[in-house]
Amino acid sequence: MTYSTENTLLYVEDLSVSYGDKTVIKDINFVEKDVIRTGNVTGQVIAFVGRSGRGKSTLFRALTGLVKPSSGKVLIADTTTGIDNDAKVVNEGDIGFVDQKYTLFRNKTVSQALMFALRNKEITKEEKEVKIKEYLHQWGLEKVKDQYPNELSGGQRQRTAIIEQIFCSGHYMVLDEPFSGLDVGNIQDVKDAFNLMTASHEFNTIIYSTHDIELAVELADSIYVIGYPSIEGKLADYGTIVKHIDMKEIGLAWKDFGLDHMEVVKQIKAAMLSS
Amino acid sequence: MKLLFKPFEKVSKNTRLLIVLFWVVLVVTFWFISSMGERHLFPSPQQVFTGFSELYNEGLVVHVASSLFLCLKAIIIAVIISLIFAYLSTIPVIKPLANTLSKLRYLPLTGITFYLTILINDARTMQVWVLVVFMSTYLTTSLLSMVSAIPQEEFDHARSLQCKRWEVLWEVVIKGRVDHVIEVIRQNLAIVWMMLVTVESILVAAGGLGFLIKNSDKFMNHGRIIALQIVILFVGLSIDFILNYLRKTFFRYSKI
Ligand SMILES: Nc1ncnc2c1ncn2[C@@H]1O[C@H](COP(=O)(O)OP(=O)(O)O)[C@@H](O)[C@H]1O
Ligand SMILES: [Mg+2]
């Protein structure tokens, strides 16, 4: 499958994050570019895997501008200026973020929350209502639109959180472990949501973490393994990128899961175990 | 029968009712028996009842109203002060102030009344402010822990939806925790109630439940004291119940 890459969408350089004296992640460098396939709107799907506590969530909070890096920077494409390859430092709110617990406003019902997410959009109230209705229908949330988060199931909360972010932020969406604690139906829903998002705009970029390596290999076109690096034969105690697999390069992206994918799964598992 | 003595055992509604009834009967019987002899700790039920009807004839209702009004005034002021401190404690410069206010609860009562007497001449105002100072320290303590118990994810969620910092404060801490504030008030109400006797002795002319106790105390009228205790207990429990009811009806999402 042929493809090419254009504008840089995400540029991370020498990123490190510490809490107090404890360095959680360090020396993180990577670049992700807009992927172009002729006759196809192709967004980017980037997966991060790694064992617990290696700093995936911390990295995501830095990517979304929710925590200040101790060093280094995160740049995203500035699509508002119209200039090609214009970049800016990421700020809180620029990148959508759905956390591990699918946090919502505890005092807002589903439709109130979605209305809130649209508050800064310059469209009339009627247009907002139509849009909300459309999404509620499409995402199967009509029945629960007047319920509060504590009256929703995990899947419903997650879908509400995703729509909120679609409404509010630009082309980027970060999801921390979007597949954990969901049943098969919900997992399919999230996969469909990924497809919908990536098919709706060239720049749309999904970044997610998962403990399900098969799901990373199946969905992503770029996979990073976060782990403790080995320095002179000893494991360090901060997380960094220990392996990168570009699924596009090896011709496995946008394909049904097959034997070649299994091989990649094995490689990733090995990389995880040794870090 | 043996099941009733087993930890964590679930019992039916009827059984629960029976258990409560059993205890009530036991307590009442104990009361009757223990107040029968010549020398006794508790006044007999009849004495309490006479105490109660005497109090009623002397204008118990007015005294209850006076106490409630005093408390209400103090609570409103104290809640406003503590809320301001608690909400603004999210701002680094204000945080030490809020923490200090909360620590003042370790000050003995006399320390505070002493300075308040210097500052305030009017006895009624004095009563209100003694209560306000005390309540504020406790309320601020609870409200501060309410604020610090908000998980980081909730702030991050608001920030990821492009809320400015002040908007985060408004949406997550202020609007998002109104039900907790009611709960905090409910839990701290008992403190005002406890202070009532002390405070009402500042201005005897204004009357109130605390004043009545003090008065009965002087004459060693046990029947009246117990009757009053029961009245105070019930008024307090009713307010407690009302606040809890308000929280549950107006905030459907509130499961505390
Ligand atoms: N707010 C924090 N303060 C201090 N340490 C933290 C904080 N958040 C995470 N950590 C630490 O950072 C490390 C990485 O955590 P996390 O990013 O959640 O890992 P992962 O998502 O890969 O499981 C853990 O050791 C955790 O204890
Ligand atoms: Mg995590």
Side-chain angles (χ1 to χ4, degrees):
Chain A
M1 213 165 284
T2 57
Y3 73 98
S4 60
T5 54
E6 269 190 16
N7 297 357
T8 299
L9 290 178
L10 188 60
Y11 180 88
V12 178
E13 188 184 87
D14 282 335
L15 182 73
S16 70
V17 176
S18 312
Y19 292 113
D21 290 338
K22 190 177 186 296
T23 302
V24 178
I25 49 173
K26 204 167 102 171
D27 301 332
I28 306 249
N29 291 286
F30 68 93
V31 179
E32 284 294 336
K33 294 185 167 174
D34 181 14
V35 179
I36 308 283
R37 282 193 300 162
T38 38
N40 222 325
V41 176
T42 315
Q44 295 62 236
V45 183
I46 304 157
F48 282 85
V49 296
R51 299 179 61 188
S52 286
R54 297 312 195 252
K56 298 181 298 294
S57 302
T58 306
L59 170 64
F60 283 1
R61 295 188 65 225
L63 287 182
T64 48
L66 292 172
V67 66
K68 275 201 206 89
S70 317
S71 73
K73 58 187 169 189
V74 176
L75 300 180
I76 56 170
D78 192 349
T79 50
T80 53
T81 57
I83 306 168
D84 264 6
N85 264 325
D86 207 4
K88 64 168 189 172
V89 175
V90 75
N91 251 318
E92 58 189 59
D94 288 340
I95 294 189
F97 183 45
V98 177
D99 70 45
Q100 250 163 298
K101 296 178 194 152
Y102 323 135
T103 309
L104 296 167
F105 290 112
R106 64 190 286 276
N107 57 325
K108 292 191 198 312
T109 62
V110 173
S111 33
Q112 284 167 351
L114 297 184
M115 196 46 115
F116 183 82
L118 286 173
R119 74 198 181 289
N120 293 332
K121 292 280 177 294
E122 281 160 357
I123 49 175
T124 64
K125 190 149 187 289
E126 287 72 38
E127 285 171 312
K128 287 178 188 174
E129 270 158 11
V130 170
K131 188 167 175 164
I132 290 172
K133 213 166 168 185
E134 184 191 319
Y135 272 83
L136 287 176
H137 177 73
Q138 202 174 4
W139 293 67
L141 291 169
E142 272 164 326
K143 281 209 188 89
V144 296
K145 70 180 172 44
D146 293 319
Q147 294 186 13
Y148 289 103
N150 67 348
E151 301 162 336
L152 299 176
S153 74
Q156 291 164 337
R157 277 214 309 278
Q158 183 188 36
R159 273 173 277 158
T160 310
I162 294 177
I163 307 175
E164 266 186 345
Q165 300 295 344
I166 292 176
F167 280 4
C168 203
S169 39
H171 296 297
Y172 302 85
M173 170 95 74
V174 171
L175 301 103
D176 200 356
E177 297 190 17
F179 297 108
S180 66
L182 298 181
D183 67 30
V184 267
N186 294 145
I187 289 179
Q188 191 54 48
D189 289 345
V190 178
K191 283 189 196 173
D192 293 345
F194 277 23
N195 286 333
L196 211 67
M197 284 189 274
T198 49
S200 59
H201 197 287
E202 277 296 341
F203 288 166
N204 280 2
T205 303
I206 293 172
I207 301 163
Y208 70 106
S209 66
T210 180
H211 286 296
D212 188 328
I213 316 302
E214 278 82 3
L215 274 175
V217 173
E218 180 186 343
L219 302 175
D221 48 70
S222 182
I223 302 168
Y224 293 91
V225 181
I226 302 286
Y228 296 154
S230 295
I231 297 168
E232 291 167 0
K234 268 202 210 139
L235 275 193
D237 63 350
Y238 59 85
T240 194
I241 295 174
V242 293
K243 190 177 180 67
H244 175 214
I245 293 172
D246 191 332
M247 299 291 283
K248 305 179 288 289
E249 230 171 67
I250 54 175
L252 293 180
W254 317 297
K255 273 191 184 162
D256 284 338
F257 199 90
L259 279 179
D260 292 339
H261 291 83
M262 278 314 295
E263 196 48 46
V264 177
V265 169
K266 259 190 219 153
Q267 280 179 32
I268 291 177
K269 283 186 177 164
M272 283 169 67
L273 280 173
S274 62
S275 63
Chain B
M1 195 63 193
K2 227 165 123 189
L3 288 181
L4 297 181
F5 294 93
K6 207 165 152 193
F8 306 112
E9 187 63 26
K10 300 255 188 310
V11 292
S12 73
K13 219 172 165 175
N14 281 337
T15 321
R16 220 162 40 224
L17 207 70
L18 279 176
I19 294 176
V20 172
L21 218 64
F22 163 77
W23 282 110
V24 170
V25 169
L26 197 74
V27 168
V28 171
T29 327
F30 178 75
W31 186 12
F32 268 96
I33 294 170
S34 69
S35 60
M36 263 182 339
E38 265 301 299
R39 281 163 49 80
H40 50 246
L41 193 57
F42 290 114
S44 67
Q46 293 94 312
Q47 275 175 304
V48 172
F49 188 77
T50 7
F52 184 76
S53 52
E54 267 173 46
L55 283 170
Y56 186 80
N57 293 332
E58 288 166 27
L60 177 66
V61 180
V62 181
H63 285 291
V64 170
S66 161
S67 286
L68 279 180
F69 186 65
L70 176 66
C71 286
L72 192 71
K73 232 159 123 183
I75 288 171
I76 290 175
I77 301 174
V79 166
I80 293 172
I81 293 175
S82 332
L83 278 179
I84 291 173
F85 274 101
Y87 290 154
L88 295 185
S89 73
T90 51
I91 304 170
V93 218
I94 311 287
K95 195 166 183 79
L97 282 185
N99 284 337
T100 310
L101 179 60
S102 141
K103 296 287 180 299
L104 285 183
R105 68 188 186 280
Y106 287 109
L107 264 187
L109 179 62
T110 39
I112 288 167
T113 41
F114 177 73
Y115 285 102
L116 281 177
T117 351
I118 298 174
L119 288 171
I120 303 167
N121 297 318
D122 177 41
R124 190 68 181 173
T125 323
M126 173 81 185
Q127 285 186 321
V128 174
W129 280 93
V130 171
L131 284 180
V132 167
V133 170
F134 258 80
M135 269 221 99
S136 304
T137 60
Y138 283 92
L139 278 175
T140 309
T141 308
S142 304
L143 289 173
L144 283 179
S145 68
M146 169 197 92
V147 172
S148 65
I150 300 175
Q152 184 63 35
E153 287 91 0
E154 288 195 40
F155 297 119
D156 286 349
H157 168 250
R159 287 164 72 200
S160 73
L161 290 173
Q162 298 179 347
C163 288
K164 303 268 180 299
R165 292 298 172 87
W166 284 98
E167 221 177 342
V168 174
L169 177 62
W170 172 246
E171 290 294 339
V172 178
V173 184
I174 303 181
K175 272 169 75 183
R177 289 291 185 287
V178 182
D179 55 322
H180 279 81
V181 172
I182 296 181
E183 180 66 11
V184 163
I185 296 173
R186 188 176 75 88
Q187 285 176 3
N188 285 283
L189 205 70
I191 294 163
V192 207
W193 232 218
M194 216 174 67
M195 300 272 307
L196 208 61
V197 184
T198 324
V199 165
E200 284 182 341
S201 58
I202 296 173
L203 179 62
V204 180
L209 290 171
F211 157 77
L212 283 181
I213 288 203
K214 196 95 184 156
N215 234 13
S216 323
D217 207 16
K218 253 194 321 231
F219 304 119
M220 287 299 282
N221 189 333
H222 274 184
R224 281 179 66 141
I225 294 179
I226 298 295
L228 263 173
Q229 301 280 2
I230 293 173
V231 171
I232 293 183
L233 183 67
F234 272 92
V235 175
L237 285 179
S238 321
I239 304 175
D240 191 276
F241 176 81
I242 292 168
L243 283 177
N244 208 17
Y245 180 79
L246 283 180
R247 178 175 65 78
K248 282 188 178 148
T249 26
F250 284 101
F251 306 99
R252 204 176 85 212
Y253 55 83
S254 183
K255 305 246 156 53
I256 298 173

